[in-house]
Amino acid sequence: MKNTASLKAYFSGMSSSIKVHGGFQDTFKRSASSILTAVKKVMAAKSSSKVTLVGHSLGGALALLDSIYLKIQIPSITTKTVTLGVPRAKFTKAYSTAAGIAALGRTIPIYDAALE
């Protein structure tokens, strides 16, 4: 687990004691600005402030990080995040509480074909 110090630019005001898996961090950092730009563009085009993020496995971890990042960057946004088969993410509760996000859901499938 990497310390989140390298994510300070993305999660201002968050505790640096919260840890995020290195692979999650690296992938998030590569995609965060383009996702923020795309979300802002669609929100403006649709005159909407609601966004649903969905992801499976690594995509689920990124959806969690992105939902928190979007809330920090766009305070008026309302996010709903649904994940499927996401690895355990201890950072989720700490970040989401600090960012004021209530709608986070984690689905653990009974059967996951990806594990076969």
Side-chain angles (χ1 to χ4, degrees), residues 28-83:
F28 170 77
K29 287 168 34 176
R30 283 193 303 270
S31 63
S33 64
S34 59
I35 289 173
L36 176 62
T37 300
V39 168
K40 284 181 174 180
K41 183 178 177 180
V42 172
M43 285 175 65
K46 300 292 183 181
S47 297
S48 179
S49 63
K50 295 180 182 179
V51 174
T52 300
L53 296 99
V54 179
H56 174 262
S57 194
L58 170 61
L62 294 175
L64 292 170
L65 286 169
D66 284 329
S67 67
I68 297 160
Y69 176 63
L70 290 171
K71 183 65 177 172
I72 291 168
Q73 297 299 314
I74 311 169
S76 63
I77 198 171
T78 300
T79 60
K80 178 180 179 183
T81 305
V82 179
T83 64

Side-chain angles (χ1 to χ4, degrees), residues 7-38:
L7 292 179
K8 278 296 207 186
Y10 301 93
F11 300 110
S12 59
M14 300 291 172
S15 170
S16 61
S17 67
I18 302 169
K19 297 184 181 198
V20 177
H21 182 275
F24 298 166
Q25 275 192 46
D26 296 342
T27 305
F28 170 77
K29 287 168 34 176
R30 283 193 303 270
S31 63
S33 64
S34 59
I35 289 173
L36 176 62
T37 300

